[in-house]
Amino acid sequence: MTTKPRFRIMLSAFLGLMPLMASRVIAADGAALYQGKCAMCHGPAAAGRPGTFPPLAGRVGQIAGNPDGKAYLAAVLVNGLHGPITVNGESYKGFMPSFRTLSDEEIAAVLAYVSTLGNSTAPVGISAQDVTSVRAVPMDAAAVQAKRAALQTAGVIP
């Protein structure tokens, strides 16, 4: 085999791996994931949409500062959230789909990124292991809502 055919085979193999390599790079980029998966509902700066999708900026970091809050946030992304919620005294009736198809690393990256929005503090440490633990205990919409209500009562969710 001459050099040209070997080069073409190697180049073809490399180009075939590009999508896989790109997805791993994106997985570490919570900002890109947020813009691609979340911004259409919660807005580019995570300010929310009145009555439909609650603001995330300034809240996610606060909630994730508590271990139970961190688990709740991961549960929302893994399982989705359905039904009315109240945030800052305003009612929201949107539908948060499950992002179960995202990897634990991707969910952790999104949560870490969103925890920086509206905060002057460093991102909250949300790891893929945190998400793995949540994913191991499947929840339905009612269970996620119940967890939210308990955390609001405890002051974890403002």
Side-chain angles (χ1 to χ4, degrees):
M1 190 183 277
T2 65
T3 304
K4 261 189 180 177
R6 279 188 193 157
F7 176 74
R8 286 184 184 149
I9 290 169
M10 289 172 40
L11 181 62
S12 295
F14 178 74
L15 291 176
L17 292 175
M18 287 297 282
L20 177 62
M21 292 167 51
S23 68
R24 287 190 178 154
V25 170
I26 290 171
D29 187 354
L33 283 164
Y34 176 84
Q35 293 305 320
K37 304 278 185 193
C38 313
M40 64 196 90
C41 294
H42 293 283
R49 307 227 188 263
T52 310
F53 302 106
L56 303 176
R59 296 180 49 77
V60 169
Q62 193 175 8
I63 296 166
N66 177 291
D68 291 333
K70 192 184 299 189
Y72 163 75
L73 292 169
V76 169
L77 267 73
V78 169
N79 302 296
L81 181 63
H82 314 265
I85 62 170
T86 302
V87 175
N88 297 332
E90 187 172 341
S91 181
Y92 292 88
K93 295 180 183 174
F95 173 86
M96 172 74 181
S98 165
F99 286 98
R100 183 175 303 279
T101 58
L102 293 179
S103 71
D104 295 348
E105 292 79 11
E106 289 170 322
I107 290 174
V110 169
L111 288 172
Y113 168 72
V114 177
S115 76
T116 66
L117 299 175
N119 289 330
S120 58
T121 60
V124 175
I126 298 172
S127 70
Q129 290 82 7
D130 293 328
V131 179
T132 301
S133 296
V134 167
R135 197 183 294 266
V137 182
M139 299 173 76
D140 62 13
V144 176
Q145 276 285 22
K147 185 175 186 97
R148 178 182 179 79
L151 292 175
Q152 278 186 306
T153 299
V156 173
I157 296 177

